[in-house]
Amino acid sequence: MNGRQTERVMQRLDSFRIELPSWGFSNTGTRFGKYLQPAAALTIEEKFSDAAQVHRLTGACPTLALHVLWDLPNGAADVAQIATLAARHGVAPGSINPNLFEDQRYKFGSFGNPDASVRQHALQHARDSVDIARRLTSRDVVLWFADGSNYPGTANIRRRKAWFEEHLAAVHGDLTGDQRMLVEYKPFEPAFYHTDIADWGMALSFARAAGPRARVLVDTGHHYQSQNIEQIVAWLLAGEMLGGFHFNDRRYADDDLTLGSIDPFQVFRIFHEILFFEWESGTRADIAYMIDQSHNLKGKIEAMIQTVMRAQELYAKAALVDYDRLASAQARCQLVEAESVLQDAFSSDVRPAIAEWRRTHGLPPDPLAAFNESGYLERITADRGGRTSATSSYA
Ligand code: RM4
Ligand code: MN
Ligand code: MN
């Protein structure tokens, strides 16, 4: 890489931020059970503390996504404590995630439930979440629904769609200032026949109907095998409807594996579509990059640091695409040349440029090694080991 390319990578990294999920630091599992980790965070204070470690070493994670049920069990009454913790640990509250799937009453859905009183309860929780976000000056409220059905004929799909439209618009009506509502989709699981917001088209349709502050959230694990996610990204960018990402990798379904561990080229292609859009439009895409991963076997903090490093590396590679050459090759239908422009960028070793970026920002050249040497893990293992969680998160 030449000096100009190094400069380009460093500039891009300056503005690349990625949000950590609070639930990624606590004990989670699979539907078969949980293997508990002695260092897992049990309290919201511990989640902030762990997130602060990741931010201290990577310099890229100034915000922490919160799940209302798990992190603010008393709702707005917990806001003051969250604000104190955020200030103490130097990590701000990030996206606010209502929880519309764990309560027993949501067995047959939340916004799509045939029982009006359950829909009302879900709506109130979503509105309370907007209020919490406002009090914490969090911009994004992320809505993910487990709603769906398991068997053909058991749910009125059109009626549920209408209820979703009505309730999403009601939540949207509460947004103030620069707040946004991000609508997440997922093709299956926990429901196995139909999901009420199954794909990006449905999320887009709901977001458009809800109002101007609604956008689509792309969780990379929430697609069918071999789906062209970067095309979805390009379409959403073109329509100014891409709100953010939940990053993770997958081998089979919503596996929540470490970003780029299975298919780093796909992550690169997603970043490329975004940066190519920015180059072509001369604008900056307003995208919330967030991690949605729960590690059951890997150490949680270690896995988060690994994820952030991988995201920075793939973003840096995408920043190296020669857009003038690419645009020209595309216009002339020079297929091999156009393809090579992408492949050259993907094959570049950006690690020295990233190390240089870290050096100039007073960060350790190898955040993972620095974490292992810091003694933090040993300390929290000793402090937290032996305790069990009072509250449980999903799975
Ligand atoms: C879901 C979805 C949501 C996340 C929960 C914990 O599969 O990805 O975004 O909040 O998991
Ligand atoms: Mn997600
Ligand atoms: Mn998911």
mmCIF file of all heavy atoms in Angstrom, residues 23 67 70 97-99 101 142-145 184-186 189-190 217 219 222 246 248 254 256 292 294 394, ligand 1:
data_model
loop_
_atom_site.group_PDB
_atom_site.id
_atom_site.type_symbol
_atom_site.label_atom_id
_atom_site.label_comp_id
_atom_site.label_asym_id
_atom_site.label_seq_id
_atom_site.Cartn_x
_atom_site.Cartn_y
_atom_site.Cartn_z
ATOM 1 N N TRP A 23 -26.296 -7.282 25.507
ATOM 2 C CA TRP A 23 -26.584 -8.703 25.699
ATOM 3 C C TRP A 23 -25.415 -9.589 25.267
ATOM 4 O O TRP A 23 -25.383 -10.761 25.602
ATOM 5 C CB TRP A 23 -27.877 -9.104 24.985
ATOM 6 C CG TRP A 23 -27.979 -8.737 23.522
ATOM 7 C CD1 TRP A 23 -27.743 -9.564 22.469
ATOM 8 C CD2 TRP A 23 -28.386 -7.480 22.954
ATOM 9 N NE1 TRP A 23 -27.967 -8.900 21.272
ATOM 10 C CE2 TRP A 23 -28.366 -7.616 21.543
ATOM 11 C CE3 TRP A 23 -28.768 -6.246 23.492
ATOM 12 C CZ2 TRP A 23 -28.708 -6.569 20.667
ATOM 13 C CZ3 TRP A 23 -29.099 -5.207 22.615
ATOM 14 C CH2 TRP A 23 -29.071 -5.366 21.240
ATOM 15 N N HIS A 67 -31.164 -3.351 25.877
ATOM 16 C CA HIS A 67 -32.455 -4.023 25.738
ATOM 17 C C HIS A 67 -33.287 -3.626 26.948
ATOM 18 O O HIS A 67 -32.864 -3.845 28.081
ATOM 19 C CB HIS A 67 -32.255 -5.547 25.702
ATOM 20 C CG HIS A 67 -32.762 -6.170 24.446
ATOM 21 N ND1 HIS A 67 -34.099 -6.270 24.173
ATOM 22 C CD2 HIS A 67 -32.109 -6.713 23.392
ATOM 23 C CE1 HIS A 67 -34.248 -6.863 22.989
ATOM 24 N NE2 HIS A 67 -33.058 -7.134 22.489
ATOM 25 N N TRP A 70 -34.060 -6.291 29.727
ATOM 26 C CA TRP A 70 -32.887 -6.841 30.417
ATOM 27 C C TRP A 70 -32.069 -5.772 31.137
ATOM 28 O O TRP A 70 -31.434 -6.045 32.149
ATOM 29 C CB TRP A 70 -31.977 -7.584 29.421
ATOM 30 C CG TRP A 70 -32.675 -8.684 28.686
ATOM 31 C CD1 TRP A 70 -33.705 -9.446 29.170
ATOM 32 C CD2 TRP A 70 -32.442 -9.143 27.344
ATOM 33 N NE1 TRP A 70 -34.108 -10.348 28.217
ATOM 34 C CE2 TRP A 70 -33.348 -10.192 27.089
ATOM 35 C CE3 TRP A 70 -31.552 -8.775 26.336
ATOM 36 C CZ2 TRP A 70 -33.395 -10.876 25.869
ATOM 37 C CZ3 TRP A 70 -31.586 -9.458 25.125
ATOM 38 C CH2 TRP A 70 -32.500 -10.495 24.901
ATOM 39 N N ASN A 97 -33.649 -0.998 22.575
ATOM 40 C CA ASN A 97 -34.347 -2.138 22.000
ATOM 41 C C ASN A 97 -35.482 -2.590 22.907
ATOM 42 O O ASN A 97 -35.235 -3.186 23.963
ATOM 43 C CB ASN A 97 -33.369 -3.314 21.814
ATOM 44 C CG ASN A 97 -32.256 -2.994 20.835
ATOM 45 O OD1 ASN A 97 -32.230 -3.496 19.724
ATOM 46 N ND2 ASN A 97 -31.315 -2.134 21.229
ATOM 47 N N PRO A 98 -36.726 -2.294 22.521
ATOM 48 C CA PRO A 98 -37.850 -2.825 23.287
ATOM 49 C C PRO A 98 -37.811 -4.349 23.221
ATOM 50 O O PRO A 98 -37.253 -4.913 22.279
ATOM 51 C CB PRO A 98 -39.090 -2.300 22.549
ATOM 52 C CG PRO A 98 -38.599 -1.279 21.590
ATOM 53 C CD PRO A 98 -37.161 -1.528 21.348
ATOM 54 N N ASN A 99 -38.385 -4.995 24.195
ATOM 55 C CA ASN A 99 -38.424 -6.459 24.171
ATOM 56 C C ASN A 99 -39.876 -6.885 24.048
ATOM 57 O O ASN A 99 -40.651 -6.793 24.999
ATOM 58 C CB ASN A 99 -37.774 -7.016 25.445
ATOM 59 C CG ASN A 99 -37.589 -8.515 25.373
ATOM 60 O OD1 ASN A 99 -38.529 -9.245 25.088
ATOM 61 N ND2 ASN A 99 -36.386 -8.975 25.632
ATOM 62 N N PHE A 101 -40.861 -9.974 22.948
ATOM 63 C CA PHE A 101 -40.896 -11.411 22.654
ATOM 64 C C PHE A 101 -40.768 -12.325 23.859
ATOM 65 O O PHE A 101 -41.057 -13.496 23.768
ATOM 66 C CB PHE A 101 -39.821 -11.762 21.611
ATOM 67 C CG PHE A 101 -38.434 -11.250 21.920
ATOM 68 C CD1 PHE A 101 -37.542 -12.026 22.630
ATOM 69 C CD2 PHE A 101 -38.039 -9.997 21.479
ATOM 70 C CE1 PHE A 101 -36.260 -11.567 22.899
ATOM 71 C CE2 PHE A 101 -36.751 -9.520 21.744
ATOM 72 C CZ PHE A 101 -35.861 -10.313 22.455
ATOM 73 N N VAL A 142 -34.754 0.451 18.091
ATOM 74 C CA VAL A 142 -34.700 -0.694 17.170
ATOM 75 C C VAL A 142 -35.839 -1.654 17.484
ATOM 76 O O VAL A 142 -35.960 -2.158 18.608
ATOM 77 C CB VAL A 142 -33.347 -1.430 17.296
ATOM 78 C CG1 VAL A 142 -33.374 -2.723 16.484
ATOM 79 C CG2 VAL A 142 -32.208 -0.539 16.819
ATOM 80 N N LEU A 143 -36.669 -1.898 16.490
ATOM 81 C CA LEU A 143 -37.825 -2.765 16.702
ATOM 82 C C LEU A 143 -37.623 -4.099 15.998
ATOM 83 O O LEU A 143 -37.544 -4.163 14.768
ATOM 84 C CB LEU A 143 -39.082 -2.079 16.159
ATOM 85 C CG LEU A 143 -39.487 -0.785 16.871
ATOM 86 C CD1 LEU A 143 -40.612 -0.091 16.120
ATOM 87 C CD2 LEU A 143 -39.913 -1.068 18.304
ATOM 88 N N TRP A 144 -37.519 -5.143 16.804
ATOM 89 C CA TRP A 144 -37.486 -6.491 16.248
ATOM 90 C C TRP A 144 -38.635 -7.285 16.860
ATOM 91 O O TRP A 144 -38.857 -7.228 18.071
ATOM 92 C CB TRP A 144 -36.166 -7.213 16.528
ATOM 93 C CG TRP A 144 -36.246 -8.622 16.027
ATOM 94 C CD1 TRP A 144 -36.256 -9.009 14.722
ATOM 95 C CD2 TRP A 144 -36.406 -9.814 16.809
ATOM 96 N NE1 TRP A 144 -36.398 -10.372 14.646
ATOM 97 C CE2 TRP A 144 -36.493 -10.891 15.899
ATOM 98 C CE3 TRP A 144 -36.476 -10.080 18.174
ATOM 99 C CZ2 TRP A 144 -36.648 -12.213 16.310
ATOM 100 C CZ3 TRP A 144 -36.632 -11.391 18.593
ATOM 101 C CH2 TRP A 144 -36.713 -12.439 17.662
ATOM 102 N N PHE A 145 -39.367 -7.965 16.003
ATOM 103 C CA PHE A 145 -40.552 -8.704 16.448
ATOM 104 C C PHE A 145 -40.383 -10.190 16.200
ATOM 105 O O PHE A 145 -39.945 -10.596 15.124
ATOM 106 C CB PHE A 145 -41.790 -8.221 15.681
ATOM 107 C CG PHE A 145 -42.107 -6.776 15.916
ATOM 108 C CD1 PHE A 145 -41.537 -5.791 15.121
ATOM 109 C CD2 PHE A 145 -42.949 -6.401 16.947
ATOM 110 C CE1 PHE A 145 -41.814 -4.447 15.345
ATOM 111 C CE2 PHE A 145 -43.223 -5.061 17.178
ATOM 112 C CZ PHE A 145 -42.656 -4.081 16.372
ATOM 113 N N GLU A 184 -36.483 -3.983 11.966
ATOM 114 C CA GLU A 184 -35.652 -5.157 11.652
ATOM 115 C C GLU A 184 -36.522 -6.285 11.111
ATOM 116 O O GLU A 184 -37.670 -6.438 11.524
ATOM 117 C CB GLU A 184 -34.948 -5.591 12.947
ATOM 118 C CG GLU A 184 -33.975 -6.750 12.796
ATOM 119 C CD GLU A 184 -33.170 -6.995 14.084
ATOM 120 O OE1 GLU A 184 -33.310 -6.206 15.042
ATOM 121 O OE2 GLU A 184 -32.405 -7.976 14.118
ATOM 122 N N TYR A 185 -35.982 -7.077 10.221
ATOM 123 C CA TYR A 185 -36.740 -8.193 9.649
ATOM 124 C C TYR A 185 -36.004 -9.510 9.882
ATOM 125 O O TYR A 185 -34.804 -9.515 10.170
ATOM 126 C CB TYR A 185 -36.965 -7.981 8.144
ATOM 127 C CG TYR A 185 -35.686 -7.781 7.335
ATOM 128 C CD1 TYR A 185 -35.017 -8.853 6.753
ATOM 129 C CD2 TYR A 185 -35.150 -6.491 7.164
ATOM 130 C CE1 TYR A 185 -33.854 -8.668 6.012
ATOM 131 C CE2 TYR A 185 -33.987 -6.297 6.423
ATOM 132 C CZ TYR A 185 -33.340 -7.387 5.857
ATOM 133 O OH TYR A 185 -32.184 -7.193 5.136
ATOM 134 N N LYS A 186 -36.736 -10.591 9.753
ATOM 135 C CA LYS A 186 -36.137 -11.920 9.940
ATOM 136 C C LYS A 186 -37.056 -12.950 9.290
ATOM 137 O O LYS A 186 -38.258 -12.947 9.555
ATOM 138 C CB LYS A 186 -35.974 -12.189 11.442
ATOM 139 C CG LYS A 186 -35.292 -13.505 11.753
ATOM 140 C CD LYS A 186 -34.956 -13.623 13.235
ATOM 141 C CE LYS A 186 -34.294 -14.953 13.503
ATOM 142 N NZ LYS A 186 -33.828 -15.117 14.880
ATOM 143 N N GLU A 189 -37.962 -18.113 12.571
ATOM 144 C CA GLU A 189 -37.450 -18.277 13.924
ATOM 145 C C GLU A 189 -37.686 -17.030 14.774
ATOM 146 O O GLU A 189 -37.161 -15.979 14.421
ATOM 147 C CB GLU A 189 -35.949 -18.614 13.923
ATOM 148 C CG GLU A 189 -35.457 -19.124 15.245
ATOM 149 C CD GLU A 189 -33.949 -18.996 15.418
ATOM 150 O OE1 GLU A 189 -33.335 -18.088 14.840
ATOM 151 O OE2 GLU A 189 -33.404 -19.797 16.157
ATOM 152 N N PRO A 190 -38.452 -17.103 15.835
ATOM 153 C CA PRO A 190 -38.989 -18.330 16.415
ATOM 154 C C PRO A 190 -40.182 -18.931 15.658
ATOM 155 O O PRO A 190 -40.484 -20.099 15.879
ATOM 156 C CB PRO A 190 -39.413 -17.899 17.820
ATOM 157 C CG PRO A 190 -39.684 -16.446 17.698
ATOM 158 C CD PRO A 190 -38.711 -15.932 16.683
ATOM 159 N N LEU A 217 -33.551 -1.805 9.262
ATOM 160 C CA LEU A 217 -32.339 -2.325 9.887
ATOM 161 C C LEU A 217 -32.033 -3.697 9.285
ATOM 162 O O LEU A 217 -32.892 -4.575 9.253
ATOM 163 C CB LEU A 217 -32.506 -2.453 11.400
ATOM 164 C CG LEU A 217 -31.229 -2.935 12.092
ATOM 165 C CD1 LEU A 217 -30.913 -2.084 13.314
ATOM 166 C CD2 LEU A 217 -31.324 -4.392 12.505
ATOM 167 N N ASP A 219 -30.066 -6.986 9.674
ATOM 168 C CA ASP A 219 -29.278 -7.905 10.495
ATOM 169 C C ASP A 219 -28.728 -8.938 9.527
ATOM 170 O O ASP A 219 -29.487 -9.663 8.864
ATOM 171 C CB ASP A 219 -30.183 -8.556 11.554
ATOM 172 C CG ASP A 219 -29.410 -9.470 12.511
ATOM 173 O OD1 ASP A 219 -28.582 -10.268 12.018
ATOM 174 O OD2 ASP A 219 -29.650 -9.413 13.729
ATOM 175 N N HIS A 222 -30.089 -12.427 9.230
ATOM 176 C CA HIS A 222 -31.517 -12.631 9.006
ATOM 177 C C HIS A 222 -31.873 -12.719 7.523
ATOM 178 O O HIS A 222 -32.711 -11.957 7.024
ATOM 179 C CB HIS A 222 -32.319 -11.501 9.659
ATOM 180 C CG HIS A 222 -32.242 -11.508 11.158
ATOM 181 N ND1 HIS A 222 -33.045 -10.728 11.959
ATOM 182 C CD2 HIS A 222 -31.474 -12.221 12.013
ATOM 183 C CE1 HIS A 222 -32.759 -10.944 13.226
ATOM 184 N NE2 HIS A 222 -31.800 -11.845 13.292
ATOM 185 N N HIS A 246 -27.251 -4.816 12.070
ATOM 186 C CA HIS A 246 -26.863 -5.703 13.154
ATOM 187 C C HIS A 246 -25.889 -6.676 12.516
ATOM 188 O O HIS A 246 -26.275 -7.508 11.708
ATOM 189 C CB HIS A 246 -28.082 -6.464 13.709
ATOM 190 C CG HIS A 246 -28.755 -5.741 14.819
ATOM 191 N ND1 HIS A 246 -29.887 -6.220 15.437
ATOM 192 C CD2 HIS A 246 -28.436 -4.585 15.457
ATOM 193 C CE1 HIS A 246 -30.238 -5.376 16.394
ATOM 194 N NE2 HIS A 246 -29.384 -4.385 16.415
ATOM 195 N N ASN A 248 -23.244 -9.716 12.241
ATOM 196 C CA ASN A 248 -22.834 -11.034 12.734
ATOM 197 C C ASN A 248 -22.599 -11.874 11.492
ATOM 198 O O ASN A 248 -22.912 -11.430 10.390
ATOM 199 C CB ASN A 248 -23.923 -11.662 13.628
ATOM 200 C CG ASN A 248 -25.297 -11.581 12.997
ATOM 201 O OD1 ASN A 248 -25.536 -12.131 11.929
ATOM 202 N ND2 ASN A 248 -26.215 -10.863 13.650
ATOM 203 N N ASP A 254 -29.660 -17.916 11.721
ATOM 204 C CA ASP A 254 -29.307 -16.743 12.525
ATOM 205 C C ASP A 254 -28.304 -17.190 13.584
ATOM 206 O O ASP A 254 -28.591 -17.200 14.767
ATOM 207 C CB ASP A 254 -30.586 -16.185 13.174
ATOM 208 C CG ASP A 254 -30.336 -14.860 13.886
ATOM 209 O OD1 ASP A 254 -29.366 -14.180 13.538
ATOM 210 O OD2 ASP A 254 -31.126 -14.521 14.782
ATOM 211 N N ASP A 256 -25.457 -15.990 14.645
ATOM 212 C CA ASP A 256 -24.766 -15.002 15.495
ATOM 213 C C ASP A 256 -23.283 -15.307 15.691
ATOM 214 O O ASP A 256 -22.730 -15.116 16.783
ATOM 215 C CB ASP A 256 -25.462 -14.876 16.864
ATOM 216 C CG ASP A 256 -26.748 -14.055 16.766
ATOM 217 O OD1 ASP A 256 -26.998 -13.436 15.712
ATOM 218 O OD2 ASP A 256 -27.514 -14.041 17.741
ATOM 219 N N ASP A 292 -24.641 -7.464 16.613
ATOM 220 C CA ASP A 292 -25.650 -8.271 17.316
ATOM 221 C C ASP A 292 -25.117 -9.697 17.367
ATOM 222 O O ASP A 292 -25.405 -10.503 16.494
ATOM 223 C CB ASP A 292 -27.004 -8.200 16.583
ATOM 224 C CG ASP A 292 -28.113 -8.900 17.381
ATOM 225 O OD1 ASP A 292 -27.840 -9.381 18.497
ATOM 226 O OD2 ASP A 292 -29.253 -8.966 16.883
ATOM 227 N N SER A 294 -24.004 -12.931 20.242
ATOM 228 C CA SER A 294 -23.928 -13.460 21.604
ATOM 229 C C SER A 294 -23.013 -14.675 21.531
ATOM 230 O O SER A 294 -23.334 -15.632 20.848
ATOM 231 C CB SER A 294 -25.301 -13.901 22.088
ATOM 232 O OG SER A 294 -26.195 -12.820 22.039
ATOM 233 N N TYR A 394 -32.380 -14.026 26.810
ATOM 234 C CA TYR A 394 -32.952 -15.067 25.972
ATOM 235 C C TYR A 394 -32.067 -16.303 25.865
ATOM 236 O O TYR A 394 -30.891 -16.210 26.001
ATOM 237 C CB TYR A 394 -33.269 -14.516 24.585
ATOM 238 C CG TYR A 394 -32.067 -14.303 23.704
ATOM 239 C CD1 TYR A 394 -31.750 -15.233 22.722
ATOM 240 C CD2 TYR A 394 -31.233 -13.206 23.870
ATOM 241 C CE1 TYR A 394 -30.663 -15.046 21.909
ATOM 242 C CE2 TYR A 394 -30.153 -13.011 23.062
ATOM 243 C CZ TYR A 394 -29.868 -13.932 22.086
ATOM 244 O OH TYR A 394 -28.773 -13.742 21.282
HETATM 245 C C1 RM4 B 1 -33.002 -11.309 17.638
HETATM 246 C C2 RM4 B 1 -32.787 -10.055 16.809
HETATM 247 C C3 RM4 B 1 -32.755 -8.809 17.652
HETATM 248 C C4 RM4 B 1 -32.039 -8.961 18.948
HETATM 249 C C5 RM4 B 1 -32.457 -10.216 19.659
HETATM 250 C C6 RM4 B 1 -31.692 -10.397 20.952
HETATM 251 O O1 RM4 B 1 -32.677 -12.456 16.891
HETATM 252 O O2 RM4 B 1 -31.619 -10.180 16.054
HETATM 253 O O3 RM4 B 1 -32.142 -7.775 16.945
HETATM 254 O O4 RM4 B 1 -32.369 -7.866 19.730
HETATM 255 O O5 RM4 B 1 -32.249 -11.321 18.814
#
